[in-house]
Amino acid sequence: MAVATTGAATLARTPRTSPADLATALAHAFLGAESWSKAALVASAAGSLGARRRWLPPLAGHVLAAYHRPPADAPRELAAVVGQCDAFREALAKSARQRKPIRLAHLVPVAGKARDSATDIPRIDTLAELAGRLELSTGELEWFADPGQWNRSARTPRLQHYRYEWRSRPGRVPRLLEIPGTRLRAIQRRILRDLLQPIPLHDAAHGFVPGRSAITGAARHTGNEVVINLDLSTFFARVTPGKIFGVLRQAGYAEAVAHRLTGLCTHAVPARVLAAMPAGGDPGERFAVRQALARAHLPQGAPTSPLLANLALRRLDSRLAGWAAAVGASYTRYADDLAFSGGPDLARGADAFIRGAARIVADEGHDLNRRKTRVRGAATRQSVTGVVVNAHTNISRGDYDRIKAILHHCVLDGPGEQNRSGHPDFQAYLRGRIAWIESLNAARGAQLRAEFDRIQWQTA
């Protein structure tokens, strides 16, 4: 088989080149041209084909109309533009009619180009640089990113990067935990720390954000006439790879780098796991959950999923914040919990406001869990993410009474009998609950801590 070469680039001549491969080769040729001009593009493409074709000038004109400067970090996008050109399509059709395939002589290598940015987002131009950043070989990067979805379709669980745990919930659709293997989890944590944390979030997001919490989000809604709570259904499973890829491209990562990062952070659940879904929930909801999990999505259990979900929902947050501002209301989101609060205008038009919010949510590819929609006036207990917000942030009386009763019985009967939920470290669990209450109500927290100090803990 004859092989033509240009510098270090080589490409074997084949009798038939697919349209996609031909478009990719031409995109590489355009990006490798000496200048971003029609003459230079035509000359570079002619060199890749081994001959000057009549359809190359109109193709070059089509590309220049689409891009005023070289899209150096988006060769796949450029290849799609080439494939949509009428001149290119007519050339393919003519070659098919005449049974004279368009052959490639050379493949021009393309170097990545990072964007100019004033942020701390690192510059990563190539897949080799990404692999080095993640302390992987290029082969390992391909294995874990799985661009061909070989791993996802493997029938042997040992070849798959995730393990699965169904969690049953009384009267509700079971929840699936998708837990990455040790090696993939370490990769995802590095991605989270080094590559995702620098990307800015919308101000409305308070879940899984350093320096923000359920309390900071709830504090935005204190002392209002009405509070509206909405809930997103199947939160992580509805965040698609396309949205993640868009987030990463918008952040400035090169096309190929964004594509591999998307593969490392998304996952599709095998059919055998979906078939093992436990009983529970409405049949329609079960079907929707299985559909969402069967497609690639953010896995619930991966360390990168919470932040990527926040990033993917920036447009939703912006739209809902604008919708709320139109009636003088405030908006925050903690994971899948949406909260709005405001005065008379929001209170009078609450139903219409909710319908409008639902349309925005649906337009962004999500659904509302209608059973969790709540509208609470000032005369009733208003809460956001479990925090009472009527006058100021506070713990609900019911939550306070429950933890107080547990502590009281721990003092009387010992803590062993009270750990009914099987917490592996019951003492740490109680300390955490008390600390939470102290952050909302210092006086009540002090009372609970005094009771906690009376407990006789068994020591080895």
Side-chain angles (χ1 to χ4, degrees):
M1 180 178 292
V3 177
T5 64
T6 296
T10 64
L11 182 71
R13 283 182 181 254
T14 57
R16 293 185 184 277
T17 304
S18 73
D21 289 342
L22 184 60
T24 298
L26 290 170
H28 285 202
F30 290 148
L31 292 175
E34 291 185 0
S35 65
W36 196 247
S37 64
K38 189 171 184 177
L41 296 186
V42 171
S44 183
S48 182
L49 296 177
R52 185 183 178 95
R53 306 281 185 170
R54 291 183 178 179
W55 48 271
L56 286 179
L59 173 60
H62 175 79
V63 168
L64 289 171
Y67 298 100
H68 298 297
R69 58 181 61 87
D73 61 347
R76 292 173 67 241
E77 181 180 284
L78 177 56
V81 171
V82 169
Q84 294 168 359
C85 177
D86 291 339
F88 178 73
R89 291 180 174 181
E90 290 171 4
L92 290 176
K94 182 178 179 180
S95 70
R97 289 194 303 269
Q98 296 179 348
R99 297 185 180 181
K100 293 180 179 180
I102 301 173
R103 300 187 180 189
L104 294 174
H106 310 294
L107 181 61
V108 179
V110 177
K113 178 182 179 182
R115 73 278 173 260
D116 294 328
S117 176
T119 71
D120 295 326
I121 297 171
R123 171 172 178 163
I124 304 175
D125 291 348
T126 66
L127 293 181
E129 291 177 9
L130 175 63
R133 185 92 186 194
L134 299 178
E135 298 183 357
L136 301 171
S137 68
T138 53
E140 288 173 327
L141 176 62
E142 294 299 288
W143 167 247
F144 286 109
D146 194 22
Q149 300 192 6
W150 307 297
N151 177 271
R152 296 170 183 174
S153 59
R155 295 185 179 182
T156 304
R158 290 180 301 173
L159 295 178
Q160 294 174 341
H161 298 316
Y162 289 81
R163 62 183 177 87
Y164 309 92
E165 293 182 9
W166 281 106
R167 298 290 176 87
S168 296
R169 301 182 291 177
R172 300 172 62 190
V173 176
R175 174 177 294 166
L176 180 65
L177 292 184
E178 303 158 73
I179 306 168
T182 303
R183 187 80 187 280
L184 179 57
R185 187 185 305 116
I187 295 168
Q188 291 171 337
R189 283 175 176 161
R190 184 177 292 274
I191 292 171
L192 175 65
R193 182 185 68 243
D194 297 343
L195 308 185
L196 300 181
Q197 289 285 4
I199 305 176
L201 293 169
H202 193 278
D203 290 341
H206 285 261
F208 321 114
V209 181
R212 306 180 199 175
S213 66
I215 297 175
T216 62
R220 299 271 294 273
H221 302 284
T222 57
N224 279 290
E225 185 168 333
V226 65
V227 172
I228 298 175
N229 304 106
L230 305 178
D231 184 84
L232 298 178
S233 178
T234 55
F235 177 51
F236 288 117
R238 289 188 180 273
V239 181
T240 64
K243 291 183 179 179
I244 300 306
F245 180 78
V247 163
L248 296 171
R249 289 287 292 128
Q250 187 177 16
Y253 288 112
E255 187 180 66
V257 171
H259 186 264
R260 292 302 186 272
L261 286 174
T262 300
L264 289 167
C265 298
T266 58
H267 175 63
V269 177
R272 62 175 179 82
V273 177
L274 298 176
M277 176 189 281
D282 176 81
E285 292 180 344
R286 289 172 60 85
F287 177 75
V289 169
R290 282 197 299 268
Q291 271 197 321
L293 293 174
R295 296 187 292 265
H297 60 278
L298 286 180
Q300 186 167 344
T304 46
S305 291
L307 180 53
L308 281 173
N310 276 339
L311 291 169
L313 266 63
R314 284 183 303 184
R315 177 180 164 87
L316 173 64
D317 288 337
S318 295
R319 295 182 66 182
L320 289 178
W323 181 245
V327 291
S330 297
Y331 161 70
T332 62
R333 179 179 57 80
Y334 188 93
D336 53 358
D337 292 323
L338 315 179
F340 305 87
S341 63
D345 289 345
L346 181 62
R348 284 193 297 267
D351 289 342
F353 181 87
I354 292 172
R355 288 195 298 270
R359 287 193 296 270
I360 293 173
V361 168
D363 191 45
E364 293 297 322
H366 289 266
D367 285 329
L368 290 180
N369 185 342
R370 301 289 182 174
R371 290 178 296 184
K372 292 188 176 181
T373 298
R374 299 285 186 272
V375 180
R376 293 286 183 264
T380 62
R381 191 186 75 184
Q382 300 170 328
S383 65
V384 174
T385 58
V387 179
V388 175
V389 296
N390 287 72
H392 52 80
T393 56
N394 201 355
I395 185 71
S396 72
R397 183 72 194 190
D399 288 343
Y400 172 76
D401 288 343
R402 277 190 290 273
I403 192 68
K404 181 180 179 181
I406 291 174
L407 294 172
H408 178 70
H409 287 291
C410 283
V411 172
L412 294 180
D413 306 322
E417 297 296 324
Q418 300 307 312
N419 188 13
R420 297 173 184 173
S421 298
H423 297 286
D425 190 338
F426 189 48
Q427 187 174 3
Y429 165 76
L430 291 178
R431 287 183 183 275
R433 293 296 299 165
I434 293 170
W436 166 255
I437 294 172
E438 282 179 323
S439 66
L440 294 170
N441 189 312
R444 286 184 173 180
Q447 294 172 2
L448 296 178
R449 189 163 294 280
E451 191 75 357
F452 175 85
D453 291 339
R454 296 175 56 203
I455 301 174
Q456 297 296 318
W457 298 96
Q458 297 294 329
T459 58

